[in-house]
């Protein structure tokens, strides 16, 4: 079955295309298809289809629509895939069965491609799914907004692929394709800019300038804005006939893939009552380069207002919308600034490895990425101005919207932020909201006014009250209103400093309506450490079966005490969670709370250990059983990424919860994932917390694991001395603790650090102890492969090429995981290249590159590219060398791998010297020296630099570079480099 939404709404079954009867049935089917695999609750369906104007028969109609869809699908021979249950209606279909979702996936994959040809092919494949105006024959309140979003999705893809094609010289084809689209969408500056450049390169400069004038006029008339800085610069360059605009295929820089256009806004509320004045204020204040703060008490509807306005105005932000919930007033800790910065940078296409660990550097990188972008940034639920300032862009093109219970006066003072304060709804608006939420109740003006008054006209309280009355049609409105009045004296909701008795009363009544099991689950949900959760986490907390947890969760969702979010996960409003915490403290004993946390944290730990074992099997884990949980490594990584905030938060809260063991056991299981996914700040914070917790316990196993973790962190980021200190401590602690696997791992990594420090004799001596331990304890072929690969790399640097070849061959022959096999294959290729065996070396580099490509390991592919480039240089195949090295440099920089970047830059410098371009070589060789890298590359770059300087006639500088290389090499044990430096120095002096 194939569902089309990008055009008319149709269903293809067995090669035949069918259309459902009636536009609103098609609208409901489209709604289910857009949430394929996820439930759509009845209230959500009603709001999506009718907004605030639902008929009295809305529920009945939705049931009828579902029956019609089921009946038609069966008639057409499709599976019965529309199901109903406690959570609502769900379409059992995969994303690739729905063209709109399939297109989104394809465009996302294309954006992540590092190979331009593959990226273009994937873009075109995804864009070919377009059949015209989305949802063309469907109706429903949600349709217009969804249609805009899907059109933007398509146009973002068109802009990205034509940008790439333009860089390849296909300007005529790009101009032909974009000319009609630019006429249809004159406000899209990026599309206009690409078309202007295509026209200019096609020789039609006047058409390019005329297009700019039309775009400028349209922006001024429609939005009252001038074109963005980037489009203005392009216009000036075309006017000046700037030669840098011309594409010279022979000297063109490697194609830079387009910046992603994030679309992160949460689902917009369909019913927003009584906020017309505030929406008008937002329209006036939220201009490019401005900051607008929406403030007010908890439950007053700040987020709903901000999200609704953002969706309505999304067309003003052609480069995308960024969103983060900063959890400023949620129980637990607010989102760290570093985490929010890292999330934004990833959304903008910055690889995790390139995200700075220092907060100020990450903030500067974010400002750089946002320069010139016409984007919206929504910072939801900020704690205070200090949490917001580091996230702010530096230019004048990004609109920033902030919500907070704090007045954010400091932000107004320092950044001239406009302030919009929300209060309770006006009585008429709150009564109107109740009537729209309860169309079947036929509320009289008196009933609506009384109930609204009992809820203090607070949107959150009104929605919870409406949910109660919707689910209990037999409950009289006046009786419920009287109950709210009686309950208001139960005390204040003392969690934010706001005396909000109306909200407290609605919580009390909703809580009282739950059965005892649901009340217990509600209380225990306050213990979730990070944020959202799924039914399995609920089952672990409650100590129940998954099916029972799903039933209880459904009841909480129906009572509007729990919200559903993306991908089958749930969350609680921070006010409701605080209320749940209060109930948990009052009604559960400390032992019961500790036991529930232990169940949840134990589940996190077991899953994380299983994920570590399947993703990086060579990584030593703390002793203990490891369950088989995941079907494959990708499945494990998805779970780790989904639960990352909860996992990291568990490490932080475990000691104060009386469960300190999780503070050092969980980081041990997470370190491989945090390294591979480049979550640097989370890695450092959890590793540091592990050492603190381990020191408090004094447990040798805990201390060993903590030092192994921190040693790896420092080694990855080039701090070899600190890495060796931690590894030495880990090795000494592991031996008496009897953790042999950890002892060998610590010795291996300490030897790696010494190798990179030039201390080869000490590194080799460690390897003898490793081999002895491996033989005595039969640690497995994977560990043997790692040790032999390490010995080979040390022998190579020491000039012991026969020994290096022997150990490299043993390392490749030993069975191990793909990443270890690929790494050892690279070492063998480097040894063969050093021995002059260029043919076998090229074959090995190619084999390793293929493995790294399957693993998605960019740095590994870049290292192989550097090796293949070196082989091509030796054979004087210079164009082939340039192709290998250009691709390798792009990969290394995408991966943020300074060491490999330096190796590639060294080879590029060598290429320039060999091809008679010594001046061009200087930049590459200086970069190779200056990057944080191992001494071997730095010394080799100095030797090559001396040759380049000599070719330029700068003999004194050349001698100085060669002398510096010899001095550095002589202070190490790199025999091959000492010899090379001596020869370079002697040649210059002769």
């Amino acid at each position: 079955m194939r569902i089309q939404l990008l055009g008319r709404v149709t269903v293809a079954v067995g090669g035949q295309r069918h259309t459902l009867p009636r536009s609103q049935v098609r609208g409901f089917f489209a709604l289910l298809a857009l949430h394929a695999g996820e439930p759509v609750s009845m209230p959500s369906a009603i709001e999506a289809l009718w907004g605030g104007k639902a008929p009295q028969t809305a529920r009945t109609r939705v049931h009828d629509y579902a029956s019609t869809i089921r009946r038609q699908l069966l008639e057409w021979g499709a599976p019965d895939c529309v199901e109903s249950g406690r959570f609502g209606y769900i379409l059992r279909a995969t994303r690739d069965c729905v063209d709109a979702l399939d297109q989104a996936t394809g465009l996302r994959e294309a954006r992540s491609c590092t190979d331009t040809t593959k990226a273009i092919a994937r873009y075109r494949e995804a864009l070919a799914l377009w059949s015209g105006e989305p949802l063309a024959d469907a109706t429903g309140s949600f349709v217009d907004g969804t249609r805009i979003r899907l059109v933007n999705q398509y146009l973002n893809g068109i802009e990205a692929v034509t940008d790439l094609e333009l860089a390849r010289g296909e300007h005529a084809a790009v101009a032909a394709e974009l000319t009609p689209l630019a006429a249809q969408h004159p406000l899209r500056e990026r599309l206009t800019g690409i078309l202007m450049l295509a026209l200019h390169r096609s020789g039609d400069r006047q058409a390019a300038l005329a297009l700019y004038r039309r775009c400028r006029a349209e922006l001024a008339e429609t939005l009252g804005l001038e074109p963005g800085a980037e489009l203005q610069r392009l216009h000036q360059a075309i006017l000046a006939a700037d030669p840098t605009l011309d594409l010279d295929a022979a000297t063109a820089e490697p194609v830079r893939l387009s910046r992603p256009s994030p679309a992160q806004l949460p689902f917009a509320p369909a019913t927003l009552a009584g906020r017309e004045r505030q929406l008008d204020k937002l329209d006036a204040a939220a201009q490019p380069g401005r900051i607008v703060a929406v403030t007010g008490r908890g439950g007053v509807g700040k987020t709903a207002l901000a999200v609704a306005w953002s969706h309505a105005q999304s067309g003003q932000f052609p480069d995308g919308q960024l969103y983060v919930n900063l959890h400023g007033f949620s129980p637990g800790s607010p989102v760290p600034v570093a985490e929010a910065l890292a999330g934004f940078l990833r959304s903008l296409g910055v690889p995790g490895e390139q995200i700075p660990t220092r907060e100020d550097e990450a903030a500067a990188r974010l400002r750089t990425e946002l320069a010139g972008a016409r984007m919206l940034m929504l910072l939801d639920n900020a704690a205070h101005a200090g949490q917001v300032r580091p996230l702010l862009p530096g230019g004048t093109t990004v609109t920033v919207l902030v919500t907070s219970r704090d007045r954010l006066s400091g932000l107004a003072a320092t950044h001239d932020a406009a302030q919009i304060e929300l209060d309770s709804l006006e009585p008429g608006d709150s009564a109107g909201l109740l009537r729209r939420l309860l169309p079947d109740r036929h509320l009289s003006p008196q009933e609506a006014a009384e109930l609204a008054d009992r809820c203090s006209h607070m949107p959150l309280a009104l929605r919870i009250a409406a949910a109660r009355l919707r689910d209990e049609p037999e409950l009289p409105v006046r009786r419920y209103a009287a109950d709210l009045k009686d309950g208001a004296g139960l005390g204040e909701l003392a969690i934010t400093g706001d005396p909000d008795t109306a909200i407290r009363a609605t919580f009390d009544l909703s809580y009282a309506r739950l059965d005892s099991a649901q009340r217990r689950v509600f209380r225990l949900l306050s213990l979730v450490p990070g944020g959202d959760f799924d039914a399995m986490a609920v089952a672990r907390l409650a100590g129940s079966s998954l099916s029972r947890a799903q039933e209880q969760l459904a009841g909480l969702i129906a009572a509007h005490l729990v919200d559903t979010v993306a991908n089958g996960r749930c969350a609680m409003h921070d006010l409701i969670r605080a209320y749940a915490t209060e109930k948990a403290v009052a009604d559960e004993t400390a032992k019961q709370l500790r036991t529930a946390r232990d169940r949840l944290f134990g589940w996190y730990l077991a899953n994380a250990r299983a994920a570590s074992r399947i993703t990086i099997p060579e990584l030593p884990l703390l002793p203990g059983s490891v369950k088989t949980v995941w079907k494959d490594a990708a499945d494990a990584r998805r779970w780790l990424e989904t639960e990352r905030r909860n996992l990291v938060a568990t490490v932080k809260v475990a000691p104060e919860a009386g469960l300190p063991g999780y503070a050092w056991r969980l980081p041990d299981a997470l370190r491989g994932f945090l390294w591979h996914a480049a979550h640097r700040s989370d890695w450092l914070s959890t590793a540091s917390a592990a050492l603190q917790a381990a020191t408090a316990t004094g447990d040798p196993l805990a201390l060993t694991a903590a030092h192994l973790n921190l040693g790896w962190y420092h080694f990855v980021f080039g701090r070899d001395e600190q890495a060796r200190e931690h590894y030495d401590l880990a090795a000494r602690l592991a031996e008496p603790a009897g953790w042999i696997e950890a002892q060998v791992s610590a010795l291996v990594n300490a030897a790696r650090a010494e190798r990179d420090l030039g201390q080869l004799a000490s590194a080799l001596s460690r390897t003898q102890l490793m081999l002895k331990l491996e033989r005595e304890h039969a640690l497995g072929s994977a560990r043997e492969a790692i040790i032999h690969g390490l010995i080979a790399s040390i022998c190579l640097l020491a000039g012991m090429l026969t020994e290096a070849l022997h150990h490299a061959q043993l390392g490749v022959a030993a069975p191990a995981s793909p990443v270890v096999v690929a790494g050892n294959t690279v070492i063998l290729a480097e040894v063969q290249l050093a021995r002059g065996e260029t043919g076998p070396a090229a074959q090995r580099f190619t084999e390793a590159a293929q493995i790294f490509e399957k693993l998605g390991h960019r740095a590994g592919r870049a290292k192989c590219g550097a090796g293949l480039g070196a082989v091509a240089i030796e054979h004087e195949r210079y164009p082939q060398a340039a192709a290998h090295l250009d691709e390798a440099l792009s990969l290394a920089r995408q991966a943020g791998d300074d060491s490999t970047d330096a190796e590639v830059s060294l080879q590029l410098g060598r290429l320039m010297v060999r091809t008679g371009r010594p001046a061009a070589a200087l930049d590459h060789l200086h970069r190779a020296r200056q990057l944080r890298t191992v001494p071997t590359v730095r010394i080799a770059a100095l030797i090559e630099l001396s040759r380049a300087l000599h070719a330029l006639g700068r003999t004194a500088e050349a001698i100085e570079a060669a002398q510096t290389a010899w001095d550095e090499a002589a202070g190490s044990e790199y025999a091959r480099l000492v010899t090379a430096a001596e020869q370079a120095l002697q040649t210059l002096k002769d």
Side-chain angles (χ1 to χ4, degrees):
M1 182 176 70
R2 181 79 180 173
I3 299 168
Q4 175 181 287
L5 304 181
L6 301 177
R8 294 170 55 243
V9 178
T10 63
V11 182
V13 182
Q16 295 293 317
R17 190 166 294 281
H18 306 277
T19 303
L20 288 161
R22 303 201 309 278
S23 62
Q24 195 139 33
V25 173
R26 293 190 288 271
F28 179 55
F29 182 68
L31 180 69
L32 295 180
L34 288 166
H35 294 82
E38 299 178 6
V40 177
S41 68
M42 179 63 78
S44 297
I46 291 173
E47 287 195 1
L49 292 172
W50 290 284
K53 300 177 181 178
Q56 299 176 11
T57 57
R59 283 175 172 268
T60 303
R61 289 194 190 182
V62 171
H63 290 311
D64 289 344
Y65 297 164
S67 298
T68 299
I69 294 167
R70 285 196 188 106
R71 184 173 60 254
Q72 290 287 183
L73 290 176
L74 288 173
E75 284 182 11
W76 298 332
D80 184 7
C81 53
V82 176
E83 300 176 4
S84 61
R86 285 177 173 268
F87 290 100
Y89 285 99
I90 185 169
L91 178 68
R92 295 291 181 191
T94 56
R95 289 178 60 87
D96 59 355
C97 291
V98 183
D99 61 355
L101 304 183
D102 195 17
Q103 184 180 78
T105 300
L107 295 177
R108 187 163 53 249
E109 291 173 354
R111 284 195 295 268
S112 67
C113 274
T114 57
D115 182 281
T116 304
T117 302
K118 292 180 180 177
I120 290 174
R122 192 68 184 97
Y123 272 123
R124 286 301 177 187
E125 182 184 357
L127 293 169
L129 296 170
W130 185 260
S131 299
E133 181 181 84
L135 312 180
D137 55 350
T139 57
S141 182
F142 79 101
V143 166
D144 287 343
T146 301
R147 183 176 293 133
I148 291 171
R149 179 174 63 80
L150 293 177
V151 169
N152 282 332
Q153 173 179 288
Y154 173 71
L155 292 176
N156 287 339
I158 288 288
E159 290 165 349
V161 72
T162 52
D163 203 6
L164 295 180
E165 291 167 339
L166 184 61
R168 291 165 67 106
E170 301 173 19
H171 31 267
V174 169
E177 180 176 11
L178 294 191
T179 296
L181 286 174
Q184 295 172 33
H185 306 282
L187 299 179
R188 292 191 72 93
E189 292 187 47
R190 186 180 176 202
L191 189 151
T192 298
I194 296 169
L195 178 54
M196 284 172 63
L197 188 53
L199 291 168
H200 172 75
R201 288 181 179 172
S202 299
D204 199 345
R205 179 169 172 268
Q206 291 307 314
L209 295 174
L211 177 63
Y212 176 81
R213 291 192 295 271
R214 288 198 299 274
C215 177
R216 183 184 182 191
E218 193 74 29
L219 283 167
E221 182 178 347
T222 306
L223 302 177
L225 298 174
E226 283 292 312
E230 191 171 346
L231 196 61
Q232 290 186 40
R233 283 194 295 270
L234 176 61
H235 176 239
Q236 291 300 318
I238 293 174
L239 281 172
D242 189 336
T244 62
L245 296 180
D246 298 327
L247 182 69
D248 182 351
T251 60
E253 290 293 316
V255 174
R256 178 180 64 83
L257 295 180
S258 304
R259 174 174 55 200
S261 299
Q264 299 180 333
L265 295 175
F267 187 76
T271 305
L272 189 72
R275 297 302 190 195
E276 289 76 13
R277 182 168 54 87
Q278 289 82 3
L279 288 169
D280 289 343
K281 285 185 176 181
L282 274 172
D283 287 340
Q287 300 299 320
R290 291 296 308 277
I291 302 167
V292 182
V294 179
T295 62
R297 292 176 295 170
V300 81
K302 301 179 294 295
T303 298
L305 174 71
V307 171
W309 181 87
S310 299
H311 275 285
Q313 303 298 326
S314 61
Q316 292 189 32
F317 312 108
D319 293 326
Q321 307 91 40
L322 293 168
Y323 171 87
V324 64
N325 184 345
L326 294 170
H327 292 282
F329 293 87
S330 301
S333 302
V335 172
V337 170
E339 182 180 323
L341 287 167
F344 280 163
L345 287 170
R346 282 193 185 85
S347 300
L348 293 169
V350 179
E353 301 88 346
Q354 293 184 21
I355 296 173
T357 53
R358 286 183 46 172
E359 183 181 300
D360 57 343
E361 293 177 357
R365 180 64 184 269
L366 179 62
R367 291 193 291 272
T368 300
E369 293 295 325
L370 291 175
R374 296 285 291 274
M375 299 184 76
L376 171 72
M377 178 186 288
L378 176 49
L379 307 176
D380 194 17
N381 198 9
H384 46 71
Q387 191 185 20
V388 170
R389 288 192 184 99
L391 304 175
L392 297 176
T396 59
T397 59
V398 178
T399 302
V400 181
L401 198 55
V402 189
T403 73
S404 179
R405 295 183 204 171
D406 187 89
R407 290 182 60 83
L408 300 178
S409 301
L411 205 60
T414 60
H415 288 76
D416 193 29
Q419 293 177 290
I420 298 176
E421 186 165 359
L422 290 192
D423 204 341
S424 301
L425 293 170
E426 293 296 324
D429 292 325
S430 57
L433 176 61
L434 283 172
R435 282 192 290 270
R436 283 193 289 274
L437 293 172
L438 296 167
D440 296 340
R441 283 288 189 152
H442 308 295
L443 296 179
S444 68
Q446 294 80 9
E447 287 177 323
E450 184 179 2
L451 183 55
D453 189 56
R454 295 291 180 265
C455 293
S456 293
H457 310 286
M458 294 284 284
L460 179 61
L462 289 165
R463 290 182 182 278
I464 293 174
R468 171 74 184 276
L469 290 168
R470 208 163 39 225
D471 290 343
E472 288 193 51
E474 73 285 354
L475 177 63
V477 174
R478 289 187 181 277
R479 183 193 302 170
Y480 181 56
D483 290 343
L484 283 172
K485 182 179 180 180
D486 294 339
L490 292 174
E492 297 178 359
L493 185 61
I495 50 179
T496 66
D498 296 329
D500 213 330
T501 56
I503 290 181
R504 172 57 184 266
T506 58
F507 289 176
D508 280 333
L509 291 176
S510 295
Y511 178 74
R513 178 174 169 265
L514 302 174
D515 63 37
S516 60
Q518 290 171 337
R519 287 197 294 269
R520 177 171 173 267
V521 168
F522 175 73
R523 295 192 297 267
L524 294 181
L525 283 175
S526 67
L527 305 180
V528 175
D532 57 2
F533 49 87
D534 61 11
M536 185 60 76
V538 176
R540 295 297 173 172
L541 269 173
S544 69
S545 67
L546 177 60
S547 59
R548 182 64 176 145
Q550 290 170 330
E551 292 175 5
Q552 293 162 346
L553 196 54
L556 296 176
I557 293 170
H560 280 232
L561 294 173
V562 167
D563 298 321
T564 55
V565 292
N567 300 318
R569 296 181 68 80
C570 300
M572 302 171 82
H573 189 285
D574 52 6
L575 286 179
I576 297 176
R577 179 166 171 167
Y579 178 80
T581 300
E582 177 188 291
K583 286 296 183 184
V585 171
D587 298 344
E588 303 281 338
T589 66
K591 182 179 179 181
Q592 288 171 327
L593 294 177
R594 184 179 181 279
T595 299
R597 276 197 178 100
D598 194 22
R599 285 192 298 263
L600 179 64
F601 294 177
W603 177 65
Y604 286 153
L605 178 60
N607 283 3
R609 281 172 62 84
S612 179
R613 181 64 76 223
I614 197 172
T615 53
I616 310 180
E618 293 83 12
L619 198 67
L621 289 174
L622 281 160
S625 62
V626 178
K627 298 179 180 179
T628 301
V629 176
W630 311 110
K631 62 182 180 182
D632 53 33
D635 189 32
R637 289 194 189 98
R638 278 192 295 271
W639 181 85
L640 287 166
E641 192 60 62
T642 300
E643 295 289 357
R644 177 167 60 92
R645 191 162 184 264
N646 284 321
L647 296 168
V648 172
T650 296
V651 174
K652 297 176 182 177
V653 306
E656 63 190 54
L659 299 164
Y662 293 106
W664 52 269
R665 290 186 180 278
L666 198 49
D668 174 68
L670 292 176
R671 70 185 191 276
F673 159 68
L674 296 174
W675 161 71
H676 187 273
H679 294 301
R680 294 184 183 182
S681 59
D682 286 343
W683 188 6
L684 181 57
S685 69
T686 54
S688 301
L691 182 58
Q692 183 178 354
T695 302
T697 65
D699 187 308
L701 286 174
L703 287 164
T704 301
H707 284 296
L708 272 178
N709 199 348
L710 281 168
W712 192 11
Y713 178 85
H714 288 299
F715 179 78
V716 165
F717 297 113
R719 295 187 278 271
D720 294 314
E721 289 285 4
Q722 296 98 312
R724 183 174 60 177
E725 290 174 10
H726 283 291
Y727 282 133
D728 282 340
L729 284 168
R732 288 200 295 272
L733 289 161
E735 183 176 10
W739 189 8
I740 304 302
E741 189 182 17
Q743 183 185 1
V744 172
S745 179
L747 289 168
V748 166
N749 288 297
R752 283 176 175 156
E754 287 182 330
R755 175 199 63 193
D756 292 351
L757 290 167
Q759 299 164 7
L760 303 184
S762 177
L764 272 176
S765 69
R766 288 181 187 268
T767 63
Q768 301 310 307
L769 177 55
M770 298 174 213
L771 288 171
K772 177 176 178 291
L773 290 169
E774 194 280 326
R775 285 192 295 267
E776 290 176 353
H777 298 279
L779 297 176
S781 61
R783 187 65 55 190
E784 180 184 350
I786 291 171
I787 295 171
H788 283 298
L790 172 61
I791 296 173
S793 69
I794 297 169
C795 291
L796 172 62
L797 294 173
M800 301 160 58
L801 298 185
T802 301
E803 293 87 343
L805 181 63
H806 171 69
H807 285 287
Q809 289 171 335
L810 289 174
V812 170
S817 70
V819 71
V820 173
V821 170
N824 282 345
T825 303
V826 169
I827 294 170
L828 176 56
E830 290 173 337
V831 173
Q832 290 170 329
L833 181 59
R835 289 165 58 90
E837 302 167 3
T838 53
Q843 182 180 347
R844 293 297 190 179
F845 278 129
T846 302
E847 291 171 1
Q850 291 169 348
I851 299 173
F852 281 129
E853 184 170 14
K854 289 179 181 177
L855 294 172
H857 200 300
R858 292 174 178 171
R861 287 174 58 200
K863 194 170 183 69
C864 294
L868 288 168
V871 171
I873 291 171
E874 293 303 314
H875 285 279
E876 299 184 357
R877 295 196 293 266
Y878 298 131
Q880 185 181 36
H884 284 306
L885 294 173
D886 282 345
E887 182 184 18
L889 189 63
S890 175
L891 288 166
R893 291 180 180 175
Q894 289 170 30
D897 190 306
D898 286 350
S899 180
T900 306
D901 188 340
E903 290 185 47
V904 178
S905 297
L906 168 61
Q907 295 302 332
L908 281 167
R910 289 184 66 226
L911 175 64
M912 299 302 170
V913 173
R914 298 301 187 278
T915 54
R917 293 177 287 170
L922 296 183
D923 285 343
H924 292 297
L925 296 171
H926 283 308
R927 179 175 177 81
R929 286 181 57 207
Q930 293 163 1
L931 282 169
R932 173 192 59 76
T933 186
V934 294
T936 53
V937 175
R938 189 168 61 248
I939 296 167
L942 281 166
I943 295 170
E944 203 63 46
L945 181 63
S946 72
R947 293 171 181 148
L949 291 167
H950 179 59
L952 290 168
R954 296 157 60 177
T955 306
E957 293 175 74
I959 292 173
E960 182 183 356
Q963 185 66 55
T964 303
W966 189 88
D967 290 341
E968 290 194 20
S972 72
E973 300 167 16
Y974 300 135
R976 294 177 65 238
L977 289 173
V978 171
T979 301
E982 286 176 345
Q983 290 173 346
L985 194 56
Q986 190 61 45
T987 300
L988 290 168
K989 289 181 177 178
D990 291 345

